[in-house]
Amino acid sequence: MDVHQKSVCSDLSGKSSKAKNQKQDSQSQPSLYLKNAVFFGLFFSVVYFLLQQWREKIRTSTPLHVLTISEMAAVVSLIASFIYLMVFFGIGFILHPFSVLEEEYDEAVIEKYSDSCLAGVSPKLPPLAPKILVEKIAPAPVLLSMEDEEVVRAVVSGSIPSYSLESKLGDCKRAAAIRNKAVERVTGRSLEGLPMEGFDYDSILGQCCEMPIGFVQIPVGVAGPLLLDEMEYTVPMATTEGCLVASTNRGCKAIYVSGGASAIVLRDGMTRAPVVRFNSAKRASQLKFFLEDPQNFDSLSHTFNKSSRFARLQSIKANMAGKNLYIRFTCSTGDAMGMNMVSKGVQNVLDFLQIDYPDMDVIGISGNFCSDKKAAAVNWIEGRGKSVVCEAVIKEEVAKKVLKTSVESLVELNMLKNLTGSAMAGALGGFNAHASNIVSAIYLATGQDPAQNVESSHCMTMMEAVNDGKDLHISVTMPCIEVGTVGGGTQLASQSACLNLLGVKGASKDSPGANSRKLATIVAGSVLAGELSLMSAIAAGQLVKSHMKYNRSSKDVSKVAS
């Protein structure tokens, strides 16, 4: 028995001395220092590289989860170096399961032989620290396994944010239905009549509408055929106003039987105008002169165009207000409406200018000199988006038979109403009868930004007697038609179908921007038809009568039809 105890003691002392020797040897190895230096350098260099890459992505609005090969390699290196450093600094924590096993083994041996060999080494061993039992936290209930009613209650109570339903549930339609019920509970008001079924909620996630609770139904009618530039178009119009589609349709008929209309795009350029500030007006003027110097345009254009393969800088105009500088960039944007595209390009130029003008304080990426979604003289004079003129010659017999009026009456009414009357009202771009009616209806049908109806409806309607006073020359001049056939709401199923009806769906493969320009001419042609018909109704005294007939509900539809 004594021999056995001695052997155990000798084994323990041998193991202890062997472990100490191994520890001393490992510390004396110079390769360890080299290894630590390599992983330290790798960790911090990779972190710096990724921060620079992510900063660039945030600046250019590029999704952070889209990784290049170099970024993926950097992420792998970061994880590897992090694991090494964690092991190096916190080896007791990383190897905790193994250390627990070793402690349990050592305790058993110590307890067994405490009265023999170890007794001579230490009179009394210190008591072992009591083991701390960590209570495991129960995982939160999985949202996917919860019933809809449970989720609704959680949203109402605030424990689950309403905006996070799509990401937590992974089902956009279910999220919208739950949010719909939660809104009813919170407000105490019914949403009966707001439809939920029949809409693709996945298609709007992250791009068209946040926190949806349903969708609004707007009837879509068609006017036409509109004969424009020797091509026929059936024009979709989404509206809740009676008479609008019917009136536009009558104008299309008058244009068709008179030989059609023609349109020309004068300009095509989206704008964005940031506002920057300097310490003095003199310093601001230096940047103004630099931006407007033709010798600097190539370098600025190169910097701007890096934002997109379709963005092409066209011009830069800078205006001062004291020490503040408003810089209006204009660029082509292909078949997209282009607000995001031009904003990215402007941000690139601002970053480029910041190098030579470090004292430049960028107040805002938009300073309202653009000017977006507002009636502004700069848009009326210089244009924004597509600047279009559309014209047609309406024959005398068509004016009498189809429009029920005369050329003379139309010319006089246009002068006194659209021109003189609008001037009396101090109108800005509103020298027309109802251009915004047609613009809004087509915008809603084709997925355009309806708020841009404000400047897109800038229109001057002109009428003149030609061919010895027998025929009518009518034109609409619209300098700010802001449309696109890709991006935004154009990709939704209903709106995409309406674009397809016009033959301008998506991007043009042959000539970038051709589809959006064609859509702009269709808008102008439809406005021409709407102006012609409404002015004829007013001249003939039919406006009130037609609205009473078509813009009022009636239980007896047969009487309305008759």
Side-chain angles (χ1 to χ4, degrees):
M1 181 69 181
D2 294 338
V3 175
H4 178 68
Q5 290 177 350
K6 291 179 181 179
S7 63
V8 173
C9 291
S10 61
D11 289 342
L12 290 174
S13 61
K15 289 181 179 179
S16 177
S17 61
K18 185 177 180 182
K20 290 180 180 179
N21 292 334
Q22 289 178 348
K23 185 176 181 181
Q24 292 175 354
D25 293 340
S26 64
Q27 290 178 348
S28 63
Q29 292 178 358
S31 61
L32 182 61
Y33 296 102
L34 179 61
K35 187 187 299 182
N36 291 341
V38 170
F39 277 97
F40 265 100
L42 179 64
F43 178 79
F44 288 107
S45 61
V46 167
V47 169
Y48 178 78
F49 171 76
L50 289 176
L51 288 175
Q52 290 294 323
Q53 293 294 108
W54 290 339
R55 177 179 177 273
E56 181 68 17
K57 287 185 177 183
I58 293 173
R59 187 177 63 79
T60 58
S61 300
T62 304
L64 294 179
H65 64 273
V66 178
L67 300 178
T68 62
I69 296 177
S70 60
E71 289 172 345
M72 287 190 287
V75 171
V76 173
S77 301
L78 177 66
I79 295 173
S81 58
F82 178 76
I83 293 175
Y84 174 83
L85 294 176
M86 284 296 295
V87 172
F88 179 74
F89 286 108
I91 188 168
F93 170 76
I94 298 297
L95 302 180
H96 178 69
F98 304 100
S99 62
V100 170
L101 293 176
E102 291 179 358
E103 287 177 3
E104 291 177 353
Y105 173 76
D106 291 343
E107 286 179 35
V109 174
I110 291 171
E111 185 178 356
K112 185 174 182 180
Y113 300 105
S114 60
D115 296 332
S116 56
C117 62
L118 296 178
V121 177
S122 177
K124 186 177 182 180
L125 295 176
L128 297 173
K131 295 180 180 179
I132 300 175
L133 297 178
V134 180
E135 183 180 357
K136 294 183 178 180
I137 301 175
V142 181
L143 207 60
L144 294 176
S145 63
M146 296 173 64
E147 297 293 333
D148 285 358
E149 181 60 30
E150 295 179 274
V151 182
V152 170
R153 288 198 296 267
V155 173
V156 172
S157 66
S159 58
I160 298 178
S162 176
Y163 62 80
S164 66
L165 286 174
E166 280 79 6
S167 60
K168 291 182 179 297
L169 292 173
D171 186 337
C172 294
K173 182 179 179 181
R174 184 187 176 198
I178 290 174
R179 187 180 292 110
N180 182 293
K181 294 179 181 178
V183 169
E184 285 188 327
R185 302 269 180 92
V186 171
T187 62
R189 298 185 181 277
S190 173
L191 288 175
E192 183 180 0
L194 183 67
M196 280 289 308
E197 299 295 329
F199 188 81
D200 183 10
Y201 293 94
D202 291 327
S203 63
I204 65 173
L205 181 64
Q207 54 191 2
C208 288
C209 179
E210 296 76 38
M211 297 194 291
I213 59 172
F215 63 97
V216 174
Q217 296 169 314
I218 302 179
V220 179
V222 290
L226 172 65
L227 183 58
L228 177 66
D229 294 326
E230 299 181 353
M231 294 186 65
E232 295 184 9
Y233 300 97
T234 299
V235 184
M237 301 174 66
T239 182
T240 57
E241 180 181 351
C243 287
L244 180 60
V245 177
S247 178
T248 307
N249 188 66
R250 182 175 74 151
C252 289
K253 179 181 179 181
I255 293 172
Y256 191 96
V257 296
S258 296
S262 61
I264 182 171
V265 178
L266 303 177
R267 287 186 299 266
D268 182 6
M270 182 50 63
T271 64
R272 174 60 84 199
V275 53
V276 300
R277 182 171 57 194
F278 289 88
N279 293 327
S280 66
K282 181 178 180 180
R283 183 62 171 158
S285 67
Q286 292 174 357
L287 179 56
K288 171 182 169 64
F289 297 145
F290 175 85
L291 293 171
E292 295 182 345
D293 188 344
Q295 295 182 355
N296 300 324
F297 184 81
D298 288 342
S299 60
L300 295 171
S301 177
H302 176 74
T303 303
F304 184 99
N305 296 345
K306 290 191 298 183
S307 62
S308 170
R309 60 194 179 102
F310 296 109
R312 293 296 177 267
L313 183 64
Q314 296 175 346
S315 64
I316 301 176
K317 180 179 180 180
N319 279 10
M320 288 178 56
K323 59 181 182 178
N324 304 301
L325 187 66
Y326 295 81
I327 313 168
R328 195 171 195 256
F329 294 81
T330 305
C331 81
S332 59
T333 57
D335 283 302
M337 185 269 288
M339 283 299 302
N340 292 332
M341 196 181 298
V342 67
S343 296
K344 291 179 183 178
V346 168
Q347 187 63 59
N348 286 347
V349 175
L350 292 176
D351 293 341
F352 173 76
L353 293 173
Q354 201 85 57
I355 299 174
D356 293 328
Y357 294 87
D359 55 333
M360 178 180 71
D361 185 12
V362 180
I363 304 301
I365 190 68
S366 174
N368 274 9
F369 190 44
C370 311
S371 172
D372 186 41
K373 300 178 177 69
K374 289 165 282 291
V378 67
N379 291 339
W380 176 244
I381 296 170
E382 297 189 1
R384 188 171 195 259
K386 279 72 173 171
S387 299
V388 183
V389 175
C390 186
E391 63 179 350
V393 175
I394 306 302
K395 297 179 180 180
E396 182 182 23
E397 57 269 23
V398 174
K400 292 180 179 179
K401 294 181 180 179
V402 178
L403 301 175
K404 312 299 183 183
T405 187
S406 65
V407 172
E408 182 182 2
S409 298
L410 285 173
V411 171
E412 182 181 26
L413 177 64
N414 185 74
M415 180 186 65
L416 295 178
K417 170 183 167 60
N418 289 341
L419 303 182
T420 308
S422 296
M424 290 287 291
L428 180 58
F431 298 90
N432 59 82
H434 70 149
S436 61
N437 254 338
I438 290 86
V439 172
S440 295
I442 298 178
Y443 273 26
L444 289 173
T446 59
Q448 311 304 313
D449 187 343
Q452 289 184 323
N453 165 70
V454 175
E455 65 267 37
S456 294
S457 296
H458 281 354
C459 173
M460 178 179 287
T461 301
M462 300 191 70
M463 296 183 185
E464 180 183 353
V466 293
N467 299 330
D468 297 327
K470 295 182 179 180
D471 301 332
L472 175 72
H473 180 275
I474 178 174
S475 68
V476 291
T477 303
M478 305 181 69
C480 317
I481 300 179
E482 299 163 338
V483 292
T485 57
V486 296
T490 64
Q491 58 194 358
L492 300 179
S494 301
Q495 289 80 350
S496 180
C498 291
L499 288 171
N500 188 56
L501 176 63
L502 294 171
V504 294
K505 177 182 176 181
S508 173
K509 297 180 180 179
D510 300 328
S511 176
N515 282 352
S516 62
R517 286 191 291 271
K518 183 181 292 186
L519 178 58
T521 62
I522 294 172
V523 171
S526 302
V527 168
L528 184 74
E531 290 287 282
L532 182 62
S533 183
L534 177 59
M535 292 293 288
S536 299
I538 296 175
Q542 298 174 340
L543 179 64
V544 176
K545 181 180 179 181
S546 61
H547 272 272
M548 293 301 296
K549 180 178 181 180
Y550 292 106
N551 205 20
R552 292 290 183 274
S553 61
S554 174
K555 294 182 180 180
D556 192 349
V557 182
S558 60
K559 291 183 179 180
V560 176
S562 62

